[in-house]
Amino acid sequence: MKKTLIGALALVGLMSAQASAEPSAEALLHQMDVASDTLDYEVSYIMVGKNSLEPMRFRHARVGEHAFGHLMYLSGPPREVIRRGDEVSYFEPGYDPFTIASDHIVAPLPTLIQTDIDVLARQYDFVSMGESREAGMACQVVRITPKDGERYSYLLWIDEESKLPVRADLLDRDGDPLEQYRALSLVVTPRISEAMQQLAELTLPPVLKLPATNHSSLDWQVTQVPDGFEPVYSNRHRLMMTKRAVESQMFSDGLFSFSVYLAKADDVSVREQIVRQGRRTLHSVISGNAEITVVGDIPPETAKRVANSVRITDNGEKASQQVEQ
């Protein structure tokens, strides 16, 4: 009996030591962040939406002191994105190729690999969900949950060997998936860097000189924004298709973003509408003589609360007048 008790205590002590040796959920995310930026790898994956499935391939490598990336769409018309350090070039049928100064690729990639984990920790809880398998690889599963319930959450599978993400489920507030990033194969090898060297020799479109961001002082403000969402910019412009005068403000918490638009209401303005397609929500409402529209990666309830919190001077009339000048 005594030997049995000692053996049981020893087993419990061993299991506790192993558990304590495992990295925390936040530590795993930091390891993923470093691996995504420093390793040479190729991943073939699919982006799964409510009514869509997009096969893609992404290569990443360090070439000298710079990070290179190459994203290819594997079905439909040929489309690709090339990153060389702080420049990203886009190639899409029907449009002239262009390059912008940026170190972030705007494409169907997990947002988490281009995000500051320390910033996210202020508004999200990171919870270890244990071990699993995905694409034939042993993984650690981490849940990323908002502390306020006013935004979406993620369930993330991280490869135990490479620390790269192999699956990311974007979940709504009920826990239902809105979209999935699912790796089909993952290869980590220095040969990727050798192949990516060729990108350094390509002649890419010159960098566009974008107009300076207009941090305008607007005559309205959003009074209820979820904690952690900070204003990125504000602007006055005209819509390209309709030439309609619009003022806008954009907000981001480092993982998700949304924009608020204000324009003078007209005969085609809808009194109130709300549409959600995948992660994207559009909510529009009329307030006085102004049409307020919220568009972004936030739940419909949050978009409605943001729209209703807009406080306007002159019922938004001054907004259109200033753009027309």
Side-chain angles (χ1 to χ4, degrees):
M1 179 67 178
K2 185 176 181 180
K3 290 183 178 180
T4 303
L5 179 59
I6 294 175
L9 291 173
L11 179 59
V12 171
L14 178 60
M15 293 176 63
S16 299
Q18 290 176 337
S20 62
E22 294 179 357
S24 67
E26 185 169 351
L28 280 169
L29 292 176
H30 278 290
Q31 292 173 0
M32 179 197 71
D33 189 38
V34 172
S36 300
D37 186 57
T38 60
L39 294 182
D40 300 341
Y41 62 91
E42 176 182 296
V43 57
S44 295
Y45 65 97
I46 54 175
M47 290 296 297
V48 184
K50 286 290 185 181
N51 300 298
S52 64
L53 189 153
E54 185 86 67
M56 313 189 76
R57 185 184 71 194
F58 178 64
R59 289 177 173 176
H60 177 276
R62 302 295 301 191
V63 179
E65 298 180 356
H66 301 288
F68 276 38
H70 186 200
L71 177 72
M72 292 188 65
Y73 294 74
L74 300 181
S75 67
R79 292 174 288 167
E80 58 186 310
V81 183
I82 295 175
R83 176 193 171 190
R84 296 195 305 197
D86 294 332
E87 296 181 0
V88 182
S89 301
Y90 295 86
F91 302 84
E92 190 154 345
Y95 298 92
D96 292 333
F98 64 93
T99 300
I100 62 173
S102 176
D103 60 356
H104 283 57
I105 291 178
V106 179
L109 283 166
T111 312
L112 289 158
I113 67 173
Q114 303 182 103
T115 302
D116 189 327
I117 302 302
D118 290 329
V119 172
L120 291 189
R122 303 170 191 167
Q123 306 300 330
Y124 294 84
D125 291 321
F126 307 139
V127 182
S128 294
M129 304 297 291
E131 299 178 351
S132 184
R133 274 172 53 82
E134 185 68 25
M137 290 169 270
C139 300
Q140 291 289 333
V141 183
V142 174
R143 189 179 183 100
I144 301 173
T145 306
K147 296 179 179 180
D148 59 10
E150 293 194 349
R151 57 204 98 191
Y152 298 131
S153 61
Y154 266 105
L155 199 58
L156 190 65
W157 283 253
I158 301 174
D159 174 33
E160 289 187 348
E161 183 176 351
S162 67
K163 307 304 180 187
L164 291 169
V166 294
R167 177 175 170 181
D169 289 8
L170 177 66
L171 308 175
D172 64 17
R173 300 203 302 179
D174 295 324
D176 296 325
L178 295 172
E179 68 178 29
Q180 293 180 322
Y181 161 93
R182 304 192 70 164
L184 304 176
S185 67
L186 173 65
V187 179
V188 180
T189 172
R191 294 181 180 178
I192 303 296
S193 179
E194 298 172 8
M196 297 283 274
Q197 291 274 3
Q198 301 175 9
L199 296 182
E201 303 170 2
L202 288 179
T203 300
L204 297 177
V207 177
L208 291 177
K209 293 184 178 180
L210 300 176
T213 302
N214 182 10
H215 294 274
S216 305
S217 177
L218 305 180
D219 295 292
W220 54 278
Q221 63 179 140
V222 184
T223 61
Q224 291 186 26
V225 176
D227 289 343
F229 277 96
E230 300 291 339
V232 178
Y233 71 83
S234 58
N235 202 357
R236 296 187 178 99
H237 61 281
R238 287 184 177 276
L239 298 179
M240 292 183 62
M241 298 296 293
T242 64
K243 303 302 180 182
R244 192 182 188 193
V246 173
E247 292 190 342
S248 64
Q249 297 186 58
M250 182 177 181
F251 299 84
S252 175
D253 70 348
L255 186 57
F256 301 111
S257 62
F258 66 87
S259 295
V260 183
Y261 299 89
L262 184 144
K264 184 178 179 180
D266 55 26
D267 294 339
V268 299
S269 298
V270 179
R271 178 60 54 182
E272 183 172 1
Q273 66 173 335
I274 187 162
V275 179
R276 190 179 78 176
Q277 184 174 6
R279 64 160 61 204
R280 187 62 53 90
T281 294
L282 182 151
H283 179 80
S284 182
V285 65
I286 302 297
S287 177
N289 293 328
E291 180 180 4
I292 301 165
T293 304
V294 178
V295 182
D297 301 333
I298 52 176
E301 298 85 354
T302 304
K304 182 176 182 179
R305 190 156 40 249
V306 169
N308 290 338
S309 77
V310 173
R311 298 294 176 260
I312 311 166
T313 59
D314 297 331
N315 289 326
E317 299 235 9
K318 194 173 181 180
S320 58
Q321 293 173 357
Q322 289 175 320
V323 179
E324 290 171 357
Q325 293 176 354

